[in-house]
Amino acid sequence: LSESGVPQLVQPMIWDYAADLDVEGKVHLIEKYRRCGFSKVWFASAFKGATGVNQSLILIGHHLKNHLQWLKVASQSPADVLEGIALTGWQRYDHFSVLCELLPVAIPSLAVCLQTLENGGYSEKVKENVEKLLGMPNLEIDTFMR
């Protein structure tokens, strides 16, 4: 792979939407990419659309945990390797599937995930900031929003 010249042309993106993604495995994968000549990698997470083909409501806690895991991967990787993170929001699993988790119900999840990445973690301050930004009296993380 390193002899092909591909590492000078592209940057790999590592996708994982799991709440319990394997941090050690991802760090090891990044090391493999570096040995092949890739100087930068991207991460891909999800703020919606990754928990079920017919999911209509969002469990913010699942996506929050995924982003917290990606922050662990970033902290255990060389400082200069991460180019960025793409927060994906899948609308459907394939062209024959129903729409899942429409954007309006996903806005709180997107806000929590973005604020978590911006602040390097999740805290009561992050929760309060999201509530203030969205005009919500009580952001629910571990249950479906009402």
Side-chain angles (χ1 to χ4, degrees):
L1 189 60
S2 58
E3 293 173 10
S4 71
V6 170
Q8 286 69 47
L9 301 173
V10 299
Q11 295 175 338
M13 183 172 285
I14 304 169
W15 303 71
D16 198 325
Y17 307 143
D20 60 347
L21 71 85
D22 177 10
V23 172
E24 187 177 310
K26 295 294 183 272
V27 171
H28 183 66
L29 182 59
I30 291 167
E31 291 169 5
K32 284 183 174 182
Y33 280 131
R34 300 266 297 195
R35 284 195 305 270
C36 290
F38 293 98
S39 60
K40 300 284 186 181
V41 299
W42 289 78
F43 299 159
S45 64
F47 71 93
K48 75 174 206 75
T51 57
V53 68
N54 61 353
Q55 192 82 12
S56 58
L57 298 174
I58 304 226
L59 203 64
I60 296 172
H62 171 89
H63 302 290
L64 171 60
K65 289 173 186 170
N66 176 253
H67 285 87
L68 292 172
Q69 293 296 92
W70 277 120
L71 285 171
K72 286 181 185 176
V73 174
S75 72
Q76 294 178 25
S77 300
D80 63 340
V81 72
L82 179 60
E83 186 70 14
I85 183 167
L87 280 76
T88 66
W90 295 96
Q91 195 62 55
R92 65 177 80 205
Y93 280 60
D94 61 56
H95 293 293
F96 303 106
S97 297
V98 297
L99 297 177
C100 62
E101 300 174 282
L102 300 178
L103 184 60
V105 298
I107 299 284
S109 180
L110 176 59
V112 166
C113 294
L114 286 170
Q115 285 293 303
T116 297
L117 292 174
E118 177 73 22
N119 289 281
Y122 184 76
S123 65
E124 189 62 31
K125 179 185 173 219
V126 169
K127 180 180 185 278
E128 290 171 3
N129 192 31
V130 170
E131 289 172 339
K132 182 180 174 186
L133 287 169
L134 298 180
M136 299 176 71
N138 186 27
L139 181 66
E140 298 176 29
I141 299 295
D142 295 316
T143 60
F144 290 111
M145 295 290 294
R146 287 181 250 143

